[in-house]
Amino acid sequence: MTLTSKFSRKGLFSDLVLYLLTALAMVTIGTVSRRGLIVTVVIVGIVLAIAVAIWLFRLKVIIVSEQEIEVRRAILPSSKHYYRFAEFDSFLLYQSGKTEYLYLLRQGQRVLKLSSDIYENYEELKNALSIIGGETWGVDAARAVDSVFSKKHLLAVSFLFLFVLIGLAVPVSDYFEKGYVRGSSLGIGLVVALFFLFLVIVALYPYKYLTIWRGNLEVKYLLWPFKVKYYSLEDFDFSLEIITKHQHDKKESLWLIRNGKLAVDIPQSVYSNYDALKHAIGIVPSDTIEMSMIQALPYYFGKTFRI
């Protein structure tokens, strides 16, 4: 029996509306001057077109048959990829608000993703793919496991950086329009650029290149590539599973504690192979704690855990 995925019109429409509202919010920043508005509309239009193209390219038609999965690009039906059920180690279910996600894992990395928002017959697909099983792991403990950054999270950071460019475009457009830069345009542009540059740095701060191999952990920070830390997994006192509450969403992170303080944090949103990293570290979390971003902040600055 063959099962073919069906797209949900409601889910697709809500994604497009979100893109358009984001674009409109960004355009309002460039209304300081006529030239600023033109420059902003051009920049936002290009980025919006790229974002929609990427979104369309990532839409997949899933065809499930006996022991095989066929994946086609919605806008490139001739582009096909076939997977055998035996290639996957396990599947993972993740709930975010009212949306449920099904991930198929290979070597601990999330290879295929299905969303209940995008697919109308999501439940049927989930039942058909659940034969893969969720217990076995294909991560070889004798082989190094390297972190893989989430493309979705990087795309969100790139949108923040776009606001930085828009802020800089305000005084530049003022100069081309009037031949000089007004103090108000310079001030607004710098405030916008510096504010969103700060947000970009904050968003990139958790990015670390992680390598786990034979009981050791190597940590290299993206923002400070020359800063490398080495740990033995035996150095850590314990680990915690932290659930960070953000409006209606919840984000999971693995915190490794050393000498009672946070030594290494591994956010699920940053790494596409989060489950492989968590499995390779092999330190079973001693507790699961829910906290807000504000409550979590002091631990990044050295607050001691008292459990």
Side-chain angles (χ1 to χ4, degrees):
M1 181 178 177
T2 302
L3 176 63
T4 303
S5 61
K6 298 177 183 178
F7 290 122
S8 168
R9 294 181 180 179
K10 181 180 178 181
L12 298 180
F13 180 74
S14 62
D15 280 354
L16 286 175
V17 169
L18 179 61
Y19 281 136
L20 291 174
L21 290 178
T22 303
L24 288 174
M26 288 163 31
V27 166
T28 57
I29 297 177
T31 58
V32 178
S33 65
R34 180 182 176 184
R35 186 65 62 89
L37 178 60
I38 295 174
V39 172
T40 304
V41 168
V42 171
I43 293 175
V44 172
I46 293 173
V47 174
L48 179 62
I50 294 173
V52 172
I54 293 174
W55 174 76
L56 288 172
F57 182 76
R58 294 183 66 183
L59 287 179
K60 303 179 182 71
V61 177
I62 312 294
I63 302 174
V64 182
S65 57
E66 290 186 9
Q67 302 302 317
E68 188 176 74
I69 305 170
E70 179 183 337
V71 180
R72 301 177 184 174
R73 300 286 179 184
I75 61 173
L76 294 173
S78 60
S79 175
K80 302 177 183 179
H81 198 103
Y82 295 92
Y83 299 98
R84 290 176 292 103
F85 278 23
E87 291 183 47
F88 297 103
D89 310 320
S90 57
F91 72 88
L92 176 71
L93 293 175
Y94 177 70
Q95 190 80 28
S96 178
K98 296 182 179 180
T99 306
E100 183 177 276
Y101 299 95
L102 170 67
Y103 298 94
L104 299 185
L105 282 69
R106 183 175 61 186
Q107 287 292 319
Q109 186 171 344
R110 300 177 183 188
V111 174
L112 191 59
K113 171 186 173 182
L114 285 80
S115 166
S116 60
D117 273 352
I118 300 298
Y119 295 103
E120 185 179 306
N121 58 340
Y122 170 80
E123 290 295 332
E124 292 181 75
L125 293 169
K126 181 175 72 172
N127 293 334
L129 294 172
S130 62
I131 191 175
I132 291 173
E135 299 294 333
T136 307
W137 279 86
V139 178
D140 187 353
R143 189 176 63 187
V145 176
D146 296 309
S147 59
V148 180
F149 292 140
S150 168
K151 295 178 181 178
K152 180 180 179 181
H153 199 273
L154 283 173
L155 182 63
V157 176
S158 67
F159 270 103
L160 286 177
F161 186 71
L162 176 64
F163 280 99
V164 177
L165 297 180
I166 291 175
L168 296 176
V170 172
V172 171
S173 62
D174 198 32
Y175 175 79
F176 281 110
E177 186 175 6
K178 303 181 183 305
Y180 63 92
V181 179
R182 293 176 300 175
S184 58
S185 295
L186 181 62
I188 292 173
L190 288 178
V191 168
V192 171
L194 291 175
F195 174 73
F196 283 101
L197 181 61
F198 171 75
L199 294 183
V200 169
I201 294 173
V202 171
L204 290 178
Y205 179 78
Y207 279 77
K208 300 176 286 290
Y209 295 102
L210 305 175
T211 299
I212 306 159
W213 185 60
R214 293 186 177 179
N216 295 291
L217 173 63
E218 178 184 305
V219 181
K220 183 185 295 184
Y221 291 82
L222 179 65
L223 293 178
W224 296 276
F226 301 107
K227 180 183 178 181
V228 183
K229 291 185 177 180
Y230 299 94
Y231 300 95
S232 168
L233 295 179
E234 296 179 354
D235 293 340
F236 300 109
D237 305 327
F238 55 91
S239 72
L240 294 171
E241 186 177 72
I242 303 297
I243 308 297
T244 307
K245 296 175 288 186
H246 179 69
Q247 294 181 350
H248 303 293
D249 198 7
K250 294 183 179 181
K251 303 293 184 182
E252 179 183 327
S253 298
L254 180 68
W255 284 13
L256 301 179
I257 312 302
R258 183 183 184 188
N259 298 325
K261 297 182 179 180
L262 173 61
V264 181
D265 70 305
I266 306 175
Q268 183 185 42
S269 58
V270 170
Y271 301 101
S272 62
N273 64 337
Y274 170 81
D275 306 287
L277 297 171
K278 186 176 179 181
H279 176 77
I281 287 172
I283 304 175
V284 179
S286 58
D287 198 3
T288 299
I289 302 176
E290 285 196 13
M291 61 176 70
S292 65
M293 291 293 294
I294 295 176
Q295 291 173 322
L297 194 59
Y299 294 104
Y300 286 97
F301 291 96
K303 183 179 178 180
T304 302
F305 281 92
R306 301 186 183 281
I307 298 179

